[in-house]
Amino acid sequence: MSSKNKNLSKTSGDIPSGKGYKIGIVVSEWNEKITNALYDGCLETLITYGVDVNDIKTIHVPGTFELPVGAKMLLGEDNYNAIICIGCVIKGETKHDEYISNAVANGLVNLGVLSGKPIIFGVLTPNTSEQAEDRAGGKHGNKGVEAAVTALKMADIKRSLKGFKVKIGF
Ligand SMILES: Nc1c(NC[C@H](O)[C@H](O)[C@H](O)CO)[nH]c(=O)[nH]c1=O
Ligand SMILES: CC(=O)[C@@H](O)COP(=O)(O)O
């Protein structure tokens, strides 16, 4: 569904409390006007839903391509309930943007599956700067808000399963 038909800041369902959670955030410095706006929306949402600001650890990496390694660094540094990765890859003249976006999407999903920790893909992949602005607090909402809510929901699911021992046959 296009963001045109689903405002990124409008969330569905109840949003669980983030009280007591430790959240890591990795922010790309490329397109920093956009990523800072995404970060602001993300941070405000986490705090609104009860995450203590002192329990939020933020690191900055040069570009979106470095988000997976940044997330991996945080995974090794402390026991976070979720890690949110924020970036913006704007289509350029060559296919470079496709390589970055695909690599990062695959890297982050693999990190989440292998670690069992919620690793949230808060990355915009717009064709133009205008599309990016529309999704970083503009008419289509803020992807950073969506990422924060996703982190809270996934951490809540994991917390609700705590103590369940799932035996996997392989
Ligand atoms: N073009 C964009 C980049 N490019 C830089 C890469 O992310 C990476 O830092 C570099 O290839 C060195 O490894 N990064 C973005 O986040 N957004 C872009 O639009
Ligand atoms: C993806 C980007 O915007 C940046 O790496 C430059 O891309 P290009 O060289 O294709 O314009």
Side-chain angles (χ1 to χ4, degrees):
M1 174 190 289
S2 163
S3 299
K4 285 181 181 176
N5 304 316
K6 180 192 179 302
N7 186 293
L8 294 166
S9 298
K10 288 200 173 62
T11 56
S12 57
D14 295 333
I15 300 173
S17 167
K19 186 171 171 54
Y21 284 159
K22 295 181 84 168
I23 305 288
I25 307 178
V26 191
V27 186
S28 163
E29 293 169 339
W30 253 81
N31 300 311
E32 63 177 0
K33 177 173 172 257
I34 299 296
T35 59
N36 285 343
L38 297 175
Y39 176 70
D40 290 346
C42 178
L43 193 64
E44 182 181 343
T45 303
L46 292 173
I47 293 168
T48 297
Y49 287 97
V51 180
D52 185 325
V53 67
N54 296 310
D55 289 331
I56 299 171
K57 174 75 175 263
T58 302
I59 63 171
H60 292 82
V61 294
T64 295
F65 190 82
E66 283 74 38
L67 290 176
V69 171
K72 175 73 173 177
M73 290 173 180
L74 285 179
L75 282 175
E77 184 253 344
D78 205 340
N79 185 25
Y80 292 99
N81 295 92
I83 294 181
I84 301 168
C85 298
I86 291 174
C88 177
V89 182
I90 301 176
K91 176 166 267 328
E93 292 180 355
T94 69
K95 293 173 69 176
H96 194 225
D97 61 290
E98 294 175 30
Y99 285 93
I100 296 169
S101 300
N102 291 334
V104 172
N106 289 325
L108 294 181
V109 76
N110 289 335
L111 198 53
V113 168
L114 292 172
S115 68
K117 294 274 186 171
I119 307 292
I120 310 305
F121 186 69
V123 178
L124 293 176
T125 57
N127 296 312
T128 65
S129 298
E130 184 184 19
Q131 286 180 351
E133 289 163 12
D134 288 347
R135 291 154 177 82
K139 63 183 178 183
H140 296 318
N142 189 321
K143 186 85 174 169
V145 171
E146 180 200 56
V149 169
T150 302
L152 293 172
K153 288 183 174 181
M154 288 303 290
D156 187 56
I157 292 168
K158 188 168 174 70
R159 181 159 61 177
S160 68
L161 295 173
K162 201 170 180 62
F164 276 67
K165 295 285 179 231
V166 178
K167 296 219 180 303
I168 298 175
F170 58 90

